Amino acid sequence: EQLKAQRDKLLDLSGTNRLVDFKFKIKENARSQNYLRIVDEVPELIIDKLNVDRRFEVIPNTKDKDKDDPYGLDLKLKSQIKETLPQYKDFDIQTNEREPIFSRTCDKLFKKNKLELDERGLNSLCISVGFLRWFEEERANDFREYYSPLILYPVQMVKERSLNGFQYTVEASEQDTNLNVCLVQKMFIEYGFKLPELELDEEGQPIVEKFFEALNKIIKKILLASELNYGAKRTRTADPLHAMQVLYQLSYGPTTSNIPIESLIFIFSN
């Protein structure tokens, strides 16, 4: 307990920490970025596949921009799947990035992951399942928007030569899956908002849907309280951006009755 308390004191809870405020925007004409966005997958199945088979190839978006329908960004949880599609059974993890951004980003993530492991014995590469979108009032009626990763599943990236250049694969790490401790501490210490615990099944894997159900209930209570006390100053609000997709989503007013659940999954190095 004392060790945990000391560790928590050392956490960076400022907005410069990517685990508190994840930046999705990239500069125009950028050669690479700091993350890969997973599409056309199911969060729980990705975790299941990595735990069983350990390694899967990460592949780029090769759809024709003019002829093919784009990948849907609103990913589903396992309970929402009506049929098991072929892409849920293959040995690839589909991303939304196209070449050459895809290969450059993979190489960037691989090099950072390898350097940290070689020099410090640390691994900061992970798959983030879900983000919390929340706001903080910096000045009167001037709110700053935050996107914070929720469930962190540690992975490692492997680079191997292939017939077409290089292929990049993601494999499970020996580290445990956990909630983003920086977000947990910031929400509790600074705002008195306690995130639900991440429960594990008999095999030690996160029960993703149960976590988001619990988070939704908490958020609804917050919104209800905001509605009942709307005359009071509202300095912050939060909403869950669930399992795989985050990004550019909606704000919720005090009369919101239903919390839309969205999914996002990203591979990134914090």
Side-chain angles (χ1 to χ4, degrees), residues 6-246:
Q6 291 298 320
R7 183 199 66 182
D8 291 345
K9 286 182 180 179
L10 296 174
L11 292 176
D12 179 6
L13 304 183
S14 70
T16 59
N17 184 351
R18 298 183 72 215
L19 291 175
V20 173
D21 188 17
F22 192 91
K23 306 293 186 185
F24 298 101
K25 293 181 180 179
I26 59 173
K27 295 180 180 178
E28 190 174 353
N29 299 322
R31 289 178 53 83
S32 66
Q33 56 196 43
N34 295 315
Y35 63 85
L36 295 169
R37 181 166 185 168
I38 299 174
V39 294
D40 208 29
E41 302 281 359
V42 175
E44 299 104 314
L45 295 184
I46 286 183
I47 293 175
D48 289 346
K49 289 195 297 185
L50 283 169
N51 285 326
V52 173
D53 296 294
R54 307 292 299 177
R55 180 184 291 193
F56 285 84
E57 184 178 357
V58 184
I59 59 175
N61 183 347
T62 57
K63 286 194 172 188
D64 189 304
K65 291 182 179 180
D66 299 320
K67 297 179 181 179
D68 298 331
D69 293 330
Y71 283 113
L73 299 179
D74 186 14
L75 304 181
K76 294 178 173 60
L77 293 179
K78 191 157 57 174
S79 66
Q80 298 170 316
I81 302 173
K82 296 181 179 179
E83 58 178 327
T84 304
L85 301 176
Q87 63 265 33
Y88 301 153
K89 297 180 179 180
D90 60 23
F91 293 90
D92 301 323
I93 294 180
Q94 180 66 57
T95 71
N96 202 42
E97 279 67 41
R98 298 178 179 276
E99 294 289 10
I101 291 289
F102 170 79
S103 291
R104 291 171 182 167
T105 299
C106 284
D107 197 54
K108 183 176 182 179
L109 293 173
F110 164 75
K111 287 179 178 177
K112 186 174 187 291
N113 184 220
K114 186 175 185 303
L115 183 65
E116 288 180 335
L117 287 170
D118 290 345
E119 293 190 353
R120 301 165 59 193
L122 299 175
N123 176 37
S124 66
L125 190 67
C126 61
I127 292 177
S128 173
V129 181
F131 287 71
L132 184 74
R133 177 175 181 254
W134 57 284
F135 302 85
E136 182 177 64
E137 188 175 40
E138 296 189 321
R139 292 179 294 276
N141 297 318
D142 183 12
F143 292 84
R144 175 177 173 179
E145 181 180 54
Y146 291 81
Y147 285 102
S148 305
L150 282 166
I151 301 173
L152 301 178
Y153 180 80
V155 294
Q156 294 180 13
M157 185 166 279
V158 178
K159 178 181 179 180
E160 297 175 315
R161 190 174 294 277
S162 67
L163 294 176
N164 298 317
F166 290 98
Q167 75 173 27
Y168 296 87
T169 56
V170 167
E171 61 182 28
S173 169
E174 297 300 323
Q175 298 163 280
D176 294 331
T177 303
N178 285 300
L179 289 180
N180 175 0
V181 65
C182 291
L183 177 64
V184 170
Q185 290 298 314
K186 186 174 183 68
M187 289 290 105
F188 183 70
I189 293 172
E190 299 186 12
Y191 307 110
F193 173 53
K194 188 174 182 180
L195 271 71
E197 293 186 5
L198 179 63
E199 296 185 28
L200 305 178
D201 61 20
E202 294 179 353
E203 297 179 353
Q205 301 311 314
I207 308 175
V208 175
E209 185 160 13
K210 189 172 183 179
F211 169 78
F212 285 111
E213 286 176 353
L215 181 56
N216 269 331
K217 289 179 181 178
I218 294 173
I219 298 300
K220 286 181 179 180
K221 288 181 180 179
I222 291 175
L223 293 177
L224 179 60
S226 297
E227 183 177 355
L228 294 175
N229 300 286
Y230 192 51
K233 183 178 180 182
R234 283 178 82 220
T235 58
R236 60 189 71 91
T237 184
D239 64 75
L241 281 180
H242 165 156
M244 222 157 164
Q245 351 196 350
V246 266

